[in-house]
Each structure stands twice: as structure tokens, then as C-alpha cells.
Amino acid sequence: MLQFVLLVLLIMALVCIPIELFLNRRIRREAALARHPAVRQEVVVDEEAKKNSALRQQAALNVKAESRRVAEEDRRLGALAEQEKALSMNREWQGTGRALASGVATARSLHSLRDRSAAAAAAGGSASTVVDEEPADAPHRAMRQVKLEQDRELRRVQAEEYARSLRQDERRDAERAATHRAEDLAARAAAERQLRRERLRETLEAEPGDDVPASDVCKLCVRLPDGRRAVRRFRAGGTVQLVYDFVTVEGFHDDEYQLCTSFPRRPLAPTQTLRGAGLLPGATIVCEALN
């Protein structure tokens, strides 16, 4: 009995001592952390880092599992596609086999008809049946005929595809050529307009000086299509064509706009003089874009 009690006490000591050591170590650790906040912060940071590391590892495992699932799904879809392809080829072969079987049956029927005709002729019957002699390789000829038909159909489809592709290439080439021609014409027109603008800039009559009487000077304010206002002085005896040239120098070609008085609206002809158009001593002219 005493031995049993000693054994129980020994077992309890072996169990309780490690627990007490663990609790004492944890209590001392908590006390140290309470005395040193910086150390406690480092411990918290370490624990957070461990948690984050565990989460990253779990996320990596999830990604690997998803990758394996996607790969399995791709393999399954590939297997289904291969099965569908095999079934399609099987159907094609079955169609070819039916055609060959039909040809063989036709050849056998011809052979049977020829044999019956020969038997009837040998028996001396009054009715005679004329049947064209068929060669011994009639089944093979039927198979060759079917293959020729298939090759002919394949060549026809290929020829149609080639012709359609050729028409598409020709249409694309024509569209490309038309685009190039339009771009060349536009570039040439832009270059000609720029050259004309530069020439007009050099030859445009200068504004009248201070020695010209005020009665012979017309001050015009031109409202351009882009919203700008261009002000310039002209000689009263000059024509409206000078105003057109001035607007062209400002960047607008004369086939893109027309000049009109602001109110009342009245188109101005290039051959009119500024005095004859009633624009003296000054006026506002509207540059209207043509549709």
C-alpha cells in the first residue's frame, strides 16, 4: 500500500513540476514585458509577423491548390475535345464506309443480274436480257469512284476558299490604294494652299500709313471661323478681294468660307470696292464657313 502511495506521489510530481515550470516562465515573461513596453511591442510585432507568415503560407497553398484544379479542368476539357474529335472522325469514316458498302452492293447486284441473264440465255428462254459485262474488280472500281468523288469535292472546296481569299486580298489592296491616293491628294492640296498662303503674305498690300487721309481708310474687324477677331486697315478704293486674301493669310482658304456683313447680313462679292460695299469708315465682317 505504501508503495502504491509513493508511486502516485511520484507521478503527480512528474506531472506538476513541468506545469509549474511552464507557468512560472510565462509569469516571469509577462512581468518582464510589463516592465519594458518596448520589449512587449517587439514581441507583439514578432507574433504579428508569424501570423502574417502563416497566412502567406496558407495563401500560397490555396494558390497551388487552385492551380492544380485549373490544370485538372484543362486536362478534362482537352480530353473531352479529343473525344469529340475522335467521334467526328468516326462519323466521317462511317459515312465513307456506308458509301463504299453501297458501291459494293451495287456491284454485287450487277453481278447477280449478269448471272441470271446468262442462266436465262442458256435455258433458251424467249425473253432475253442484255446486261453490260462488268469486270471482276467491280467492288474495287466502286471504291475508287467514291474516293474520286471525295477528292473532287475537296478540290472544289479548296478552290472556293482560294477564290474567296483572293477576292478579299484584292479588295484590301484596292482599299489601301484608295486610301493612299486620298492621302496623297490631301497632302498635295495642303501643300498648294500653304504655298498660296505664303505668296499672298508676301504680295498682300500693306496697311495705309498715317499720311493717307482718314476718308480713304477703311478699318475692318473680321470674325474668323475659329472665333478669333482680326483687325486691319485697308484703302477705301481697294476691293473685297484684299480682305479675302487677308483671311487666307490668317489660315483659311477662300473656298472654305464667304464674307458677309454682320447686320444686316449681306454677302460681299470679291469684285466690290470697300467704299462701294458701304464699309467705310469701318465695319465688322463675318467670315462664314461653307458647308
Side-chain angles (χ1 to χ4, degrees):
M1 184 64 181
L2 181 59
Q3 293 178 353
F4 177 75
V5 173
L6 293 175
L7 181 61
V8 171
L9 293 174
L10 180 61
I11 293 175
M12 291 178 64
L14 293 176
V15 172
C16 294
I17 290 174
I19 295 175
E20 184 179 0
L21 292 176
F22 173 75
L23 292 176
N24 290 334
R25 186 164 57 251
R26 186 175 183 85
I27 291 171
R28 287 195 300 272
R29 181 171 176 270
E30 292 293 334
L33 292 177
R35 289 193 301 271
H36 302 284
V39 177
R40 183 178 183 84
Q41 184 65 25
E42 291 179 359
V43 171
V44 172
V45 171
D46 292 340
E47 291 179 353
E48 291 294 332
K50 291 179 180 179
K51 291 181 181 179
N52 293 333
S53 177
L55 291 176
R56 285 195 296 270
Q57 292 178 358
Q58 184 63 33
L61 293 176
N62 293 336
V63 169
K64 290 182 180 179
E66 184 66 18
S67 300
R68 287 195 296 270
R69 189 187 66 80
V70 171
E72 290 293 336
E73 186 68 18
D74 291 340
R75 284 195 291 271
R76 188 179 66 82
L77 293 177
L80 290 177
E82 292 293 334
Q83 291 178 3
E84 182 65 23
K85 184 178 180 180
L87 289 175
S88 177
M89 294 178 63
N90 190 18
R91 285 194 293 270
E92 292 179 359
W93 280 108
Q94 287 179 357
T96 304
R98 283 194 294 269
L100 293 175
S102 178
V104 172
T106 302
R108 290 179 178 176
S109 299
L110 291 175
H111 276 288
S112 177
L113 182 60
R114 186 188 61 184
D115 294 340
R116 288 198 299 271
S117 299
S126 58
S128 63
T129 304
V130 179
V131 180
D132 294 337
E133 293 293 331
E134 291 291 332
D137 59 344
H140 299 287
R141 177 176 294 181
M143 295 173 63
R144 286 196 299 271
Q145 184 66 24
V146 171
K147 183 172 178 57
L148 288 175
E149 291 293 334
Q150 293 177 347
D151 293 341
R152 190 178 297 113
E153 180 66 17
L154 179 60
R155 287 194 296 271
R156 184 186 65 80
V157 172
Q158 290 176 347
E160 291 179 355
E161 291 293 334
Y162 176 75
R164 181 162 52 252
S165 176
L166 186 61
R167 288 193 298 270
Q168 292 177 353
D169 292 341
E170 291 175 352
R171 184 168 60 253
R172 283 195 293 267
D173 292 340
E175 293 175 354
R176 193 179 298 111
T179 303
H180 289 333
R181 285 195 299 270
E183 291 176 353
D184 292 340
L185 290 176
R188 190 178 305 168
E192 292 176 355
R193 291 183 178 185
Q194 181 65 25
L195 180 61
R196 184 170 181 268
R197 189 178 299 120
E198 295 298 330
R199 290 176 179 174
L200 287 176
R201 191 188 306 276
E202 296 174 357
T203 60
L204 185 63
E205 180 180 321
E207 296 188 51
D210 296 336
D211 56 340
V212 179
S215 59
D216 292 337
V217 176
C218 178
K219 184 177 181 180
L220 298 179
C221 176
V222 184
R223 289 192 298 183
L224 300 175
D226 59 359
R228 292 185 294 122
R229 293 176 180 267
V231 180
R232 195 179 191 278
R233 300 166 66 243
F234 297 90
R235 292 182 179 275
T239 62
V240 178
Q241 182 63 47
L242 293 174
V243 186
Y244 274 96
D245 294 343
F246 170 68
V247 174
T248 301
V249 171
E250 290 296 322
F252 300 93
H253 204 262
D254 53 8
D255 60 355
E256 299 175 344
Y257 65 90
Q258 67 175 355
L259 297 178
C260 303
T261 57
S262 59
F263 184 83
R265 183 187 179 281
R266 177 167 51 87
L268 298 175
T271 57
Q272 289 180 288
T273 62
L274 300 179
R275 190 188 304 275
L279 302 177
L280 269 65
T284 297
I285 296 178
V286 180
C287 185
E288 293 183 347
L290 296 176
N291 293 331

